[in-house]
């Protein structure tokens, strides 16, 4: 019974996060493309990133979208994506989430 309940719970949870990921992509995809098409600067990057929730999932979904777009775009658009990727909020995110794990490994 426990295994059956756990299986059902994980399927429901995966279904929820997959639908959340689709909604997130539908919401932020056009915003990122508008950022790339416009006059992208640091203030525009700050405005876009400030709309993000502080949840770890949202930031990881956003970074995954940026990674996919880097593989697609070239030239000037790629430089604009670098403005988003090098934002200080993501540096803080990596320091809080990745560095403690790396210290434990070393």
């Amino acid at each position: 019974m426990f295994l059956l309940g756990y299986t059902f719970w994980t399927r429901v949870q995966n279904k929820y996060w997959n639908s959340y990921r689709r909604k997130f992509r539908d919401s932020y995809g056009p915003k990122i493309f508008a950022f790339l098409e416009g006059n992208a600067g640091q203030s525009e990057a700050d405005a876009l990133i400030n709309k993000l929730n502080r949840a770890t999932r949202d930031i990881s979904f956003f970074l995954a979208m940026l990674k996919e777009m880097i593989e697609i775009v070239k030239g000037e658009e790629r430089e604009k994506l670098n403005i988003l990727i090098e934002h200080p909020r993501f540096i803080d995110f990596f320091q809080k989430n990745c560095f403690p794990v790396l210290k434990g490994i070393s």
Side-chain angles (χ1 to χ4, degrees):
M1 288 298 286
F2 174 75
L3 185 57
L4 182 63
Y6 180 75
T7 302
F8 177 73
W9 177 74
T10 55
R11 286 184 183 173
V12 169
Q13 188 178 20
N14 285 338
K15 186 176 179 182
Y16 170 76
W17 285 115
N18 287 336
S19 68
Y20 184 78
R21 182 181 295 126
R22 281 192 304 273
K23 289 178 185 176
F24 187 86
R25 290 177 68 85
D26 291 344
S27 175
Y28 280 95
K31 293 176 186 176
I32 293 174
F33 283 120
F35 176 79
L36 294 177
E37 291 173 357
N39 292 333
Q42 190 62 40
S43 61
E44 288 82 8
D46 291 339
L48 177 62
I49 292 174
N50 286 337
K51 293 178 185 177
L52 271 177
N53 191 356
R54 292 210 180 266
T56 303
R57 289 269 186 168
D58 288 351
I59 294 174
S60 63
F61 288 159
F62 190 78
L63 290 173
M65 287 177 60
L66 292 180
K67 182 181 176 187
E68 291 174 11
M69 289 185 172
I70 281 179
E71 296 171 0
I72 297 170
V73 298
K74 302 282 188 243
E76 184 178 324
E77 287 84 14
R78 191 169 185 156
E79 293 298 323
K80 292 177 182 179
L81 281 177
N82 284 340
I83 294 172
L84 289 175
I85 292 170
E86 296 170 354
H87 195 272
R89 183 169 178 187
F90 298 135
I91 295 171
D92 293 338
F93 173 76
F94 284 122
Q95 286 177 341
K96 289 178 184 174
N97 293 316
C98 297
F99 289 146
V101 174
L102 293 175
K103 288 178 185 175
I105 291 172
S106 62

